[in-house]
Short mmCIF file of all heavy atoms in Angstrom, two decimals:
data_model
loop_
_atom_site.label_atom_id
_atom_site.label_comp_id
_atom_site.label_asym_id
_atom_site.label_seq_id
_atom_site.Cartn_x
_atom_site.Cartn_y
_atom_site.Cartn_z
N VAL A 131 153.79 43.92 118.06
CA VAL A 131 154.69 45.06 118.11
C VAL A 131 153.86 46.34 118.11
O VAL A 131 152.94 46.49 117.30
CB VAL A 131 155.66 45.09 116.90
CG1 VAL A 131 156.57 46.32 116.97
CG2 VAL A 131 156.49 43.82 116.83
N LEU A 132 154.17 47.25 119.03
CA LEU A 132 153.57 48.58 119.04
C LEU A 132 154.63 49.57 118.58
O LEU A 132 155.76 49.56 119.07
CB LEU A 132 153.10 48.97 120.45
CG LEU A 132 152.08 48.06 121.12
CD1 LEU A 132 151.74 48.59 122.51
CD2 LEU A 132 150.83 47.91 120.28
N VAL A 133 154.29 50.43 117.62
CA VAL A 133 155.24 51.40 117.08
C VAL A 133 154.73 52.80 117.38
O VAL A 133 153.62 53.17 117.01
CB VAL A 133 155.42 51.22 115.56
CG1 VAL A 133 156.44 52.23 115.03
CG2 VAL A 133 155.85 49.80 115.22
N GLY A 134 155.55 53.60 118.06
CA GLY A 134 155.18 54.96 118.41
C GLY A 134 156.27 55.96 118.05
O GLY A 134 157.45 55.61 118.00
N GLY A 135 155.89 57.20 117.85
CA GLY A 135 156.82 58.25 117.45
C GLY A 135 157.44 59.02 118.60
O GLY A 135 157.91 60.14 118.41
N MET A 136 157.45 58.43 119.80
CA MET A 136 158.03 59.13 120.95
C MET A 136 159.51 59.39 120.71
O MET A 136 160.21 58.59 120.10
CB MET A 136 157.86 58.31 122.23
CG MET A 136 156.42 58.07 122.63
SD MET A 136 155.68 56.76 121.62
CE MET A 136 154.02 56.71 122.31
N CYS A 137 159.97 60.53 121.23
CA CYS A 137 161.37 60.94 121.04
C CYS A 137 161.81 61.80 122.20
O CYS A 137 161.07 62.69 122.62
CB CYS A 137 161.48 61.72 119.73
SG CYS A 137 163.07 62.55 119.48
N GLU A 138 162.99 61.55 122.73
CA GLU A 138 163.50 62.43 123.80
C GLU A 138 164.77 63.15 123.37
O GLU A 138 165.47 63.72 124.20
CB GLU A 138 163.71 61.65 125.10
CG GLU A 138 164.84 60.65 125.12
CD GLU A 138 165.16 60.20 126.55
OE1 GLU A 138 165.94 60.91 127.21
OE2 GLU A 138 164.64 59.17 127.00
N THR A 139 165.05 63.15 122.07
CA THR A 139 166.23 63.83 121.55
C THR A 139 165.93 65.27 121.18
O THR A 139 166.71 66.18 121.44
CB THR A 139 166.78 63.08 120.33
OG1 THR A 139 167.02 61.72 120.69
CG2 THR A 139 168.07 63.70 119.84
N ASP A 140 164.78 65.48 120.55
CA ASP A 140 164.40 66.81 120.06
C ASP A 140 162.91 66.97 120.33
O ASP A 140 162.08 66.75 119.48
CB ASP A 140 164.68 66.86 118.56
CG ASP A 140 164.76 68.29 118.02
OD1 ASP A 140 164.51 69.22 118.79
OD2 ASP A 140 165.08 68.44 116.82
N PHE A 141 162.58 67.35 121.59
CA PHE A 141 161.18 67.31 122.00
C PHE A 141 160.89 68.41 123.01
O PHE A 141 161.76 69.22 123.32
CB PHE A 141 160.83 65.94 122.57
CG PHE A 141 161.39 65.62 123.94
CD1 PHE A 141 160.63 64.97 124.89
CD2 PHE A 141 162.68 65.98 124.29
CE1 PHE A 141 161.13 64.69 126.16
CE2 PHE A 141 163.18 65.69 125.56
CZ PHE A 141 162.40 65.05 126.49
N SER A 142 159.67 68.45 123.52
CA SER A 142 159.26 69.52 124.43
C SER A 142 159.43 69.16 125.91
O SER A 142 158.95 69.87 126.77
CB SER A 142 157.80 69.90 124.16
OG SER A 142 157.65 70.41 122.85
N GLY A 143 160.10 68.05 126.18
CA GLY A 143 160.36 67.66 127.56
C GLY A 143 159.29 66.80 128.18
O GLY A 143 159.32 66.56 129.39
N TYR A 144 158.35 66.30 127.39
CA TYR A 144 157.27 65.48 127.94
C TYR A 144 157.82 64.20 128.57
O TYR A 144 158.50 63.42 127.89
CB TYR A 144 156.26 65.09 126.86
CG TYR A 144 155.57 66.22 126.15
CD1 TYR A 144 154.91 66.00 124.96
CD2 TYR A 144 155.56 67.51 126.67
CE1 TYR A 144 154.24 67.02 124.29
CE2 TYR A 144 154.90 68.54 126.02
CZ TYR A 144 154.25 68.29 124.83
OH TYR A 144 153.60 69.32 124.19
N PRO A 145 157.54 63.94 129.84
CA PRO A 145 158.09 62.73 130.49
C PRO A 145 157.56 61.44 129.91
O PRO A 145 158.23 60.40 130.00
CB PRO A 145 157.68 62.90 131.95
CG PRO A 145 156.53 63.88 131.94
CD PRO A 145 156.79 64.79 130.79
N ASP A 146 156.37 61.46 129.29
CA ASP A 146 155.83 60.22 128.72
C ASP A 146 156.33 59.95 127.31
O ASP A 146 155.85 59.03 126.64
CB ASP A 146 154.29 60.22 128.75
CG ASP A 146 153.66 61.36 127.96
OD1 ASP A 146 154.41 62.23 127.46
OD2 ASP A 146 152.43 61.38 127.83
#
Side-chain angles (χ1 to χ4, degrees):
V131 179
L132 302 180
V133 181
M136 297 78 180
C137 169
E138 69 166 275
T139 305
D140 199 355
F141 73 139
S142 297
Y144 300 164
D146 60 354

